[in-house]
């Protein structure tokens, strides 16, 4: 089969993955909820094959769990392990931020900065949907700009876990502080300043650590 013939299938699988991932991150699919293929087909409007392939990827990333003799379910939010996840994510965020500051094209760095500014604007309006949309868009360009597919592959499931954690406990969160951290990193990338970009990534991880501790203590 040619690459051209494979493209529609690849696109359908990517679309299925993106939609299911978003449903998990925003708690439309709740922790421990059983996965029913027919429901996902109806919710996404996609076929059984791309749904199954997307689910296999989500199992590999840990967002969905395979239960012996009981099928699939959305993984639970493990609050006690979340600090460890953020520690691990920090290493990758620093690597990606520094790489993007060195490797981003002018178009990419401008786009990253604009998405961060959009986050700041959405945070001031307390528009969670717009904030998350800009956040995802920033991540997408930042990851492409880093030109490190191995780091990106490792970090994406962690980002989704953090996003899901935030949705679950957003009453403890501070949108404006999170947006400011993203802006600091984006400004570093735009200025081709790896140290500032990494400082922004660290500031974001510091915020997520404090946010998680607040959730644990409460």
């Amino acid at each position: 089969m040619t690459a051209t013939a494979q493209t529609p299938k690849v696109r359908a699988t990517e679309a299925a993955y993106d939609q299911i991932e978003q449903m998990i991150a925003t708690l439309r699919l709740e922790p421990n909820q059983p996965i029913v293929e027919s429901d996902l087909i109806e919710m996404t409007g996609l076929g059984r094959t791309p749904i199954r392939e997307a689910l296999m990827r989500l199992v590999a990333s840990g967002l969905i769990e395979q239960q012996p003799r009981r099928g699939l379910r959305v993984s639970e939010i493990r609050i006690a392990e979340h600090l460890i996840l953020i520690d691990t994510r920090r290493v990758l965020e620093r690597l990606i931020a520094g790489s993007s500051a060195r490797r981003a094209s002018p178009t990419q760095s401008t786009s990253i900065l604009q998405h961060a500014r959009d986050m700041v604007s959405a945070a001031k309006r307390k528009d969670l949907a717009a904030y998350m949309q800009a956040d995802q868009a920033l991540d997408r360009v930042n990851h492409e700009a880093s030109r490190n597919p191995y780091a990106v592959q490792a970090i994406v499931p962690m980002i989704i876990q953090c996003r899901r954690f935030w949705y679950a406990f957003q009453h403890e969160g501070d949108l404006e502080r999170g947006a400011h951290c993203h802006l600091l990193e984006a400004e570093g990338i735009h200025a081709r300043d790896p140290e500032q970009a990494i400082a922004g990534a660290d500031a974001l991880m510091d915020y997520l650590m404090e946010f998680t501790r607040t959730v644990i203590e409460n």
Side-chain angles (χ1 to χ4, degrees), residues 48-189:
R48 189 173 302 277
T49 297
I51 291 293
R52 285 183 174 176
E53 291 179 351
L55 290 174
M56 288 174 62
R57 286 177 57 188
L58 288 161
V59 169
S61 71
L63 292 168
I64 289 178
E65 298 174 343
Q66 175 76 56
Q67 297 178 289
R69 298 183 298 280
R70 296 179 62 186
L72 302 176
R73 71 170 186 180
V74 179
S75 64
E76 62 182 300
I77 296 176
R78 297 178 174 88
I79 296 177
E81 297 177 8
H82 204 69
L83 293 172
I84 299 172
L85 183 149
I86 295 170
D87 264 342
T88 308
R89 180 180 168 184
R90 183 189 295 271
V91 177
L92 295 168
E93 289 286 1
R94 289 172 57 89
L95 175 60
I96 289 170
S99 295
S100 291
R102 290 188 294 270
R103 299 171 179 171
S105 68
T107 299
Q108 288 172 326
S109 63
T110 298
S111 179
I112 288 168
L113 184 58
Q114 184 57 56
H115 290 316
R117 288 172 173 167
D118 290 343
M119 291 181 71
V120 171
S121 177
K124 289 179 179 177
R125 301 193 312 270
K126 300 190 185 303
D127 186 339
L128 178 58
Y131 180 94
M132 288 299 184
Q133 184 177 9
D135 184 18
Q136 289 175 286
L138 190 157
D139 282 345
R140 191 174 299 114
V141 183
N142 189 20
H143 292 167
E144 290 173 358
S146 75
R147 301 180 189 178
N148 188 332
Y150 302 103
V152 171
Q153 184 178 14
I155 202 171
V156 166
M158 299 180 198
I159 291 173
I160 300 304
Q161 294 282 19
C162 287
R163 192 169 287 144
R164 182 170 67 150
F165 189 92
W166 201 92
Y167 264 96
F169 303 102
Q170 59 185 277
H171 56 282
E172 302 285 359
D174 183 344
L175 280 183
E176 292 195 38
R177 182 177 172 189
H180 174 75
C181 296
H182 281 90
L183 182 60
L184 178 64
E185 179 178 346
E187 287 174 341
I189 293 170

